[in-house]
Amino acid sequence: MEQDVRRIIRALNECLAALPQQQLQRVSHIGIAGQMHGIVFWKRDKGCKWTDSDSGLTFEPQEVSHLVTWQDTRCSPTFLSSLPLPQSHISLATGFGCATVYWYLKKSPGFLKSYDAAGTIHDYVVAMLCDLKKPLMSVQNAASWGYFNSRNKSWNTDILKESGFPIHLLPEVGDPGSIAGRTVSAWHGIPKGAKVGIALGDFQCSVYSCLTERTDAVLNISTSAQLSISMPLGFQPPDMPDPSSAVTYFPYFNGDYLAVAASLNGGNVLATFVDMVAQWTEELGLQVQESAIYTKIIKAALAQTNSKLSIHPTIFGERHVPEQLASVSNIAVSDLSLGHVTRALCRGIVENLCSMLPVQCLMETGVRRILGSGSALARNEVLRQEVERVFPFPVVYGKDVDAAMGAAMVMFHRK
């Protein structure tokens, strides 16, 4: 999956232009977070051009590739198995930056010759704001690319060199929370010389925005779904990953790690179900808005407090078992209503996440409470009921879980 960087930066400019100029002029530090794993390529001396706009100076991408996102599927399991084994605690997966570079190297080597820099989309923004000649990447983003050793904070350069990987494209790496540089120009009224933090992972910043106690677990169900806990102080991940493990250890802040069960199946499963129902009704010659379908299926599921139907909802696979797709079992005549199916689907989403990071593990690490967040959880009472049924802990909703807020808090706490 690719996205147009120009459109992304245009959206960023629109967001900044909508903010009050008086407030922007007071900004002294900028914290930036974005989706991990993905990669964008650019020419160092032609990455962007600065132009005047109604809200002040802005930059526009110039010689920049599309962003290949974390959802990209070009690297098949067969292709990934042909690559050198990384010296990293995180298993390589499709959509990871280094895997994408390998794909271009083997399938379209001419593409890489057009560029001399690479990073995540948020690394690109930091590099443009600070006019960095060499991109700078946080440990969080580097680990998400693969072929990175989090213990010694270095790329697997020997392994990569041996296989002909273009290591000149690898960014330099720094600690999360450190300063990458200063703005080389005023930006939408933000003064020239404002300090810009090294780009951070969106997931880590989301957790940072709400996690106040080490005994809290953070559950997020938006497009995908994640359940995370803080690892004990001093924890170090294993040298090599367990490809069959559903838990990944994400570098956090100050040398700490989060244990994360990151499911590819969350609100997107419900959205697909709604889309399927909409298609069926259209094929029957009827027209129903998808928003109306969503409201009606949730209402129907609320009327069914139980369903013997069992749905394993992994239609998008999972990183640790990409070949395992969805299934339905225990189908009985009594459980075929829309309410029963929706209830079983919501339960399946929560149970799938729980199977990846079981209750027993949460108890062993001292979890006492779950902080529930995410758009799918916020708008779906059935999903909330199933969370409370599956997890034997108090569940607190409504905590502000926001990556942008987390990035701002990181900068504020390090001022």
Side-chain angles (χ1 to χ4, degrees):
M1 179 182 283
E2 297 187 10
Q3 292 176 351
D4 186 342
V5 171
R6 284 165 183 78
R7 291 181 66 182
I8 293 171
I9 300 304
R10 196 179 306 137
L12 174 62
N13 284 328
E14 287 171 3
C15 289
L16 279 156
L19 294 172
Q21 276 286 313
Q22 285 178 317
Q23 298 286 66
L24 289 169
Q25 287 164 10
R26 296 173 57 202
V27 170
S28 62
H29 292 67
I30 303 171
I32 297 178
Q35 289 186 338
M36 295 184 292
H37 307 298
I39 185 168
V40 60
F41 304 87
W42 67 91
K43 275 269 196 189
R44 285 184 200 176
D45 55 344
K46 295 179 181 174
C48 74
K49 63 176 179 180
W50 286 85
T51 57
D52 246 327
S53 71
D54 293 341
S55 59
L57 282 168
T58 65
F59 71 88
E60 294 174 3
Q62 271 193 297
E63 293 193 25
V64 179
S65 73
H66 275 188
L67 166 67
V68 181
T69 78
W70 64 275
Q71 292 173 297
D72 190 76
T73 58
R74 72 189 64 194
C75 297
S76 66
T78 305
F79 178 82
L80 291 170
S81 66
S82 74
L83 302 179
L85 196 65
Q87 190 182 20
S88 170
H89 74 280
I90 296 177
S91 294
L92 198 62
T94 186
F96 282 26
C98 285
T100 303
V101 173
Y102 268 122
W103 188 91
Y104 280 118
L105 190 63
K106 292 174 185 287
K107 308 285 186 181
S108 182
F111 171 87
L112 295 175
K113 290 175 183 171
S114 305
Y115 306 103
D116 56 9
T120 63
I121 183 63
H122 35 313
D123 294 322
Y124 166 76
V125 171
V126 170
M128 297 306 104
L129 289 178
C130 303
D131 192 25
L132 300 180
K133 297 310 172 194
K134 176 92 171 168
L136 183 61
M137 179 182 257
S138 70
V139 168
Q140 295 172 352
N141 288 328
S144 81
W145 263 21
Y147 292 97
F148 183 79
N149 187 316
S150 297
R151 286 192 176 199
N152 59 26
K153 301 178 185 176
S154 65
W155 298 105
N156 300 166
T157 45
D158 290 345
I159 295 169
L160 294 168
K161 263 184 196 172
E162 253 182 61
S163 58
F165 187 99
I167 60 170
H168 66 277
L169 290 174
L170 294 173
E172 292 178 353
V173 180
D175 288 324
S178 61
I179 300 299
R182 291 175 179 266
T183 51
V184 294
S185 168
W187 184 43
H188 288 281
I190 296 172
K192 177 181 176 179
K195 290 181 179 178
V196 181
I198 195 167
L200 305 168
D202 57 342
F203 181 76
Q204 288 90 334
C205 286
S206 293
V207 171
Y208 195 90
S209 73
C210 70
L211 191 65
T212 53
E213 303 292 336
R214 297 187 77 89
T215 52
D216 287 342
V218 178
L219 169 68
N220 177 72
I221 307 180
S222 298
T223 305
S224 52
Q226 301 88 23
L227 178 62
S228 66
I229 53 175
S230 295
M231 294 307 291
L233 293 170
F235 168 84
Q236 287 293 324
D239 286 331
M240 300 299 284
D242 175 1
S244 64
S245 174
V247 174
T248 304
Y249 299 103
F250 282 11
Y252 191 45
F253 295 97
N254 304 318
D256 288 349
Y257 284 83
L258 297 173
V260 185
S263 172
L264 301 177
N265 300 274
N268 51 0
V269 173
L270 285 162
T272 304
F273 179 62
V274 167
D275 184 54
M276 181 188 77
V277 173
Q279 282 184 26
W280 284 6
T281 54
E282 193 176 325
E283 286 170 25
L284 292 169
L286 305 169
Q287 287 284 347
V288 187
Q289 292 289 326
E290 288 196 5
S291 57
I293 292 173
Y294 194 92
T295 305
K296 287 182 186 295
I297 65 169
I298 299 304
K299 186 177 179 182
L302 286 169
Q304 304 296 340
T305 54
N306 201 7
S307 177
K308 297 184 183 117
L309 196 65
S310 177
I311 299 180
H312 193 72
T314 53
I315 54 173
F316 300 103
E318 293 292 7
R319 286 197 178 101
H320 62 291
V321 275
E323 69 288 344
Q324 183 181 294
L325 300 178
S327 61
V328 183
S329 60
N330 219 35
I331 304 169
V333 175
S334 58
D335 292 346
L336 296 178
S337 74
L338 210 47
H340 283 100
V341 175
T342 305
R343 169 70 66 177
L345 189 59
C346 290
R347 179 182 305 153
I349 291 168
V350 178
E351 286 181 340
N352 177 56
L353 195 56
C354 183
S355 73
M356 294 169 71
L357 187 54
V359 168
Q360 184 66 28
C361 291
L362 300 181
M363 288 178 163
E364 286 170 2
T365 51
V367 169
R368 294 180 188 164
R369 180 176 69 160
I370 288 181
L371 306 178
S373 66
S375 54
L377 209 53
R379 66 187 293 215
N380 187 332
E381 190 180 339
V382 182
L383 213 47
R384 294 196 297 274
Q385 288 176 354
E386 292 303 325
V387 166
E388 290 160 28
R389 189 187 67 80
V390 170
F391 293 102
F393 307 103
V395 184
V396 178
Y397 303 103
K399 289 276 284 184
D400 284 331
V401 179
D402 184 272
M405 174 71 78
M409 287 169 64
V410 169
M411 297 307 295
F412 180 77
H413 292 153
R414 281 155 174 74
K415 275 180 71 172

